[in-house]
Amino acid sequence: MVEICEVGPRDGLQNEAVTLSVSDRVQLINRLVEAGITKVEAVSFVNPKVVVQMAEPEEVMRQLNQAVGVRFAGLVLSAKGMERAMESDVDDIHLVLAASTAFNLKNARRTTDESLGELVPLVERAKTGHRGVTAVIGTAFGCPFEGKVSEEVVFYAAKRFLDAGADAITLADTTGMANPGQVRNMVEAFVEQFPDVPLGLHFHNTRGLGAANVYAGYLAGVRRFDASIGGLGGCPFAPLSVGNVCTEDVVHMFEQMGVDTGLNLDGLLAAARFAQEKVQHPVDSYVLRAGPVP
Amino acid sequence: MVEICEVGPRDGLQNEAVTLSVSDRVQLINRLVEAGITKVEAVSFVNPKVVVQMAEPEEVMRQLNQAVGVRFAGLVLSAKGMERAMESDVDDIHLVLAASTAFNLKNARRTTDESLGELVPLVERAKTGHRGVTAVIGTAFGCPFEGKVSEEVVFYAAKRFLDAGADAITLADTTGMANPGQVRNMVEAFVEQFPDVPLGLHFHNTRGLGAANVYAGYLAGVRRFDASIGGLGGCPFAPLSVGNVCTEDVVHMFEQMGVDTGLNLDGLLAAARFAQEKVQHPVDSYVLRAGPVP
């Protein structure tokens, strides 16, 4: 059994030229949930002047169909974002920073240490408010500005969040620099240091290695993967960084391998077609083009 | 160390709408060799009325720069093709059939058994003419018309060719139906049955799993992979089957993993740009678009 955390409505749409209406964002999420998705990164509590595609997270949350067993997460980069998140209906808080300071400065206008100092204390706040907390550590597999990112920095950040009470860690390959050998090594080192911590992986398909990296993570024991419907996404601050790994392609891979995802592939393909229509360009989805293996 | 067998000039170009001139085909192959490629499926001895893109293999072979340590292979589907191959300068003969009869009927107008009866005796002919012989067994991971293909049929065909003296076997996922779990199982079973036989793998990226399948084959011990520059290719008889796994993407993956390929990535990218210009459409290459990991 593998769990997909659907990040298309957030990491996907935030990098699209077309800004979807709140109603379209809600419809997309509802379609994903109908296809069996139980965890969605639905919104982002960032400055709407900077990321206009993510405006009105509170309104998105209000309009969503609440379904039993489904958890909606909101991204938080700062204490200010946390205030808004706690006033909204999100089930989970995704506290995000980049292990690379050069990248974090562009993404959050703070050094990695400054973000840690600001975000770590928010874990307790979230927990007392009965929200789940995942710490997402970006550029964990490399930084387009700094190159290699040391495992020590990544694990130090993870430890800080875990010591404060975070429920889970996601290691994110923000700009698609990971390779499958590195993924296995990183996961094995993580599991050795944090044996009982739920670990998720977040990959981009920038250099065509998204599925290979997911497979490598699976072999190393990971059972939770971020993916984006239609392969939507990227990163506005990383030129040429193409989309996240594509939900329907990853789910199709696992299905073919006989690994249960609990998801309905036809439903996902319908959601991908809806997303494709709304973003107004062909999406980077192999299974949408070629169809599943007959 | 991993060896790439470059199949773009054959499996790639044969499925393009634009037919390249002999001179352009020769230039493409020479550029690939300059980038370090030592094994190229350069030509195909099929009926030029059926596959016009592959016309004049003899002339392509005549015009190629001969380089020490580089082997040029020609594809052969029939005894008639073999006659032509033996009169040409190819170093290696790739004897090709599909394990699925439904597919082989479309591709070679023969049942699998008929092709075996015709091709197996050609092994001796090639060996006495001092040519290398690889038997390529297509639809080894599934057939778009028949669905699952039994391992027994695939291994029976392999055994027939090996008993006749073939040097190597390539298992080909002709229409992109393989998944990484299946690849590992298949390779492990093959190695158990044929422990000392050089094994190559040939994948298409139809459903986005090309790199994952290469990685899975590598983990299972395979060190020879077919790949196509710019991800050119597909199969004219399999609708929606997109290109082969992309040479520069696969080489980039191995480089990032610290696995030597003996190839020059910049040279491959230059060859991919040349191919892209000649086929007159954007090719399916991630590293060409995004650039290598910095």
Side-chain angles (χ1 to χ4, degrees), chain B residues 233-248:
Chain B
C235 171
F237 305 107
L240 296 173
S241 143
V242 299
N244 291 76
V245 289
C246 171
T247 303
E248 59 271 30

Side-chain angles (χ1 to χ4, degrees), chain A residues 30-111:
Chain A
N30 285 341
R31 279 163 194 254
L32 289 162
V33 169
E34 278 162 30
I37 292 282
T38 54
K39 171 113 187 171
V40 187
E41 196 173 86
V43 292
S44 181
F45 296 95
V46 290
N47 186 342
K49 285 179 192 149
V50 179
V51 189
V52 64
Q53 299 92 331
M54 291 293 103
E56 299 187 80
E58 299 83 358
E59 188 54 28
V60 171
M61 287 307 305
R62 248 192 302 274
Q63 291 186 21
L64 279 175
N65 294 342
Q66 294 294 330
V68 176
V70 177
R71 298 187 72 87
F72 297 114
L75 180 143
V76 165
L77 286 177
S78 68
K80 201 169 162 191
M82 187 67 171
E83 291 310 308
R84 295 169 63 202
M86 293 304 290
E87 280 162 28
S88 81
D89 292 334
V90 293
D91 303 295
D92 294 319
I93 307 287
H94 287 183
L95 296 173
V96 177
L97 57 69
S100 147
T101 274
F103 197 92
N104 206 60
L105 280 168
K106 290 198 192 262
N107 200 46
R109 297 180 189 177
R110 291 156 177 82
T111 67

Side-chain angles (χ1 to χ4, degrees), chain B residues 169-205:
Chain B
I169 299 291
T170 291
L171 300 179
D173 180 28
T174 313
T175 66
M177 293 174 66
N179 68 73
Q182 179 190 23
V183 169
R184 285 192 87 173
N185 293 340
M186 180 70 120
V187 169
E188 281 165 14
F190 184 94
V191 171
E192 202 180 306
Q193 193 157 341
F194 309 103
D196 298 317
V197 172
L199 174 64
L201 294 173
H202 174 110
F203 295 116
H204 285 245
N205 201 28

Side-chain angles (χ1 to χ4, degrees), chain A residues 77-151:
Chain A
L77 286 177
S78 68
K80 201 169 162 191
M82 187 67 171
E83 291 310 308
R84 295 169 63 202
M86 293 304 290
E87 280 162 28
S88 81
D89 292 334
V90 293
D91 303 295
D92 294 319
I93 307 287
H94 287 183
L95 296 173
V96 177
L97 57 69
S100 147
T101 274
F103 197 92
N104 206 60
L105 280 168
K106 290 198 192 262
N107 200 46
R109 297 180 189 177
R110 291 156 177 82
T111 67
T112 301
D113 274 338
E114 285 166 358
S115 275
L116 271 176
E118 185 167 337
L119 296 178
V120 167
L122 303 179
V123 175
E124 197 187 346
R125 176 89 210 280
K127 301 305 289 182
T128 55
H130 307 289
R131 319 289 178 119
V133 180
T134 296
V136 180
I137 303 171
T139 64
F141 298 88
C143 166
F145 313 115
E146 290 186 3
K148 282 199 196 312
V149 170
S150 104
E151 212 169 85

Side-chain angles (χ1 to χ4, degrees), chain B residues 144-227:
Chain B
F145 312 116
E146 289 186 4
K148 282 198 196 311
V149 170
S150 105
E151 213 168 86
E152 284 70 40
V153 175
V154 174
F155 290 3
Y156 170 75
K159 191 170 183 316
R160 289 279 305 272
F161 282 112
L162 291 167
D163 287 348
D167 303 301
I169 299 291
T170 291
L171 300 179
D173 180 28
T174 313
T175 66
M177 293 174 66
N179 68 73
Q182 179 190 23
V183 169
R184 285 192 87 173
N185 293 340
M186 180 70 120
V187 169
E188 281 165 14
F190 184 94
V191 171
E192 202 180 306
Q193 193 157 341
F194 309 103
D196 298 317
V197 172
L199 174 64
L201 294 173
H202 174 110
F203 295 116
H204 285 245
N205 201 28
T206 316
R207 292 168 180 95
L209 298 182
N213 289 333
V214 169
Y215 176 63
Y218 177 79
L219 289 180
V222 176
R223 293 295 177 268
R224 190 158 55 81
F225 298 95
D226 287 4

Side-chain angles (χ1 to χ4, degrees), chain B residues 38-291:
Chain B
T38 54
K39 171 113 187 172
V40 187
E41 197 173 85
V43 292
S44 182
F45 297 95
V46 290
N47 186 343
K49 285 178 192 152
V50 179
V51 189
V52 65
Q53 299 93 330
M54 290 294 103
E56 298 188 78
E58 298 83 358
E59 189 54 28
V60 170
M61 287 308 305
R62 248 191 302 274
Q63 292 186 20
L64 279 174
N65 294 342
Q66 293 294 331
V68 177
V70 177
R71 298 187 71 88
F72 297 114
L75 180 143
V76 166
L77 287 176
S78 68
K80 201 169 163 190
M82 187 68 171
E83 291 310 309
R84 296 169 62 202
M86 293 304 290
E87 282 163 26
S88 82
D89 292 334
V90 293
D91 303 296
D92 294 320
I93 307 288
H94 287 182
L95 296 173
V96 177
L97 55 70
S100 145
T101 274
F103 197 93
N104 207 59
L105 281 168
K106 292 198 190 262
N107 199 45
R109 298 180 190 177
R110 292 157 178 80
T111 66
T112 301
D113 274 339
E114 285 166 357
S115 276
L116 270 176
E118 186 168 335
L119 296 178
V120 167
L122 302 180
V123 175
E124 197 186 346
R125 176 90 211 280
K127 301 305 288 182
T128 55
H130 307 290
R131 318 289 177 119
V133 179
T134 296
V136 181
I137 303 172
T139 64
F141 298 88
C143 167
F145 312 116
E146 289 186 4
K148 282 198 196 311
V149 170
S150 105
E151 213 168 86
E152 284 70 40
V153 175
V154 174
F155 290 3
Y156 170 75
K159 191 170 183 316
R160 289 279 305 272
F161 282 112
L162 291 167
D163 287 348
D167 303 301
I169 299 291
T170 291
L171 300 179
D173 180 28
T174 313
T175 66
M177 293 174 66
N179 68 73
Q182 179 190 23
V183 169
R184 285 192 87 173
N185 293 340
M186 180 70 120
V187 169
E188 281 165 14
F190 184 94
V191 171
E192 202 180 306
Q193 193 157 341
F194 309 103
D196 298 317
V197 172
L199 174 64
L201 294 173
H202 174 110
F203 295 116
H204 285 245
N205 201 28
T206 316
R207 292 168 180 95
L209 298 182
N213 289 333
V214 169
Y215 176 63
Y218 177 79
L219 289 180
V222 176
R223 293 295 177 268
R224 190 158 55 81
F225 298 95
D226 287 4
S228 172
I229 195 74
L232 297 176
C235 171
F237 305 107
L240 296 173
S241 143
V242 299
N244 291 76
V245 289
C246 171
T247 303
E248 59 271 30
D249 288 355
V250 165
V251 167
H252 177 261
M253 175 180 81
F254 280 124
E255 269 194 4
Q256 290 292 312
M257 287 169 59
V259 176
D260 187 23
T261 60
L263 300 172
N264 179 296
L265 186 58
D266 286 339
L268 292 175
L269 290 168
R273 274 187 288 268
F274 176 82
Q276 180 167 255
E277 192 190 308
K278 294 299 172 186
V279 300
Q280 301 170 29
H281 63 78
V283 295
D284 196 18
S285 162
Y286 282 88
V287 177
L288 193 62
R289 283 198 298 269

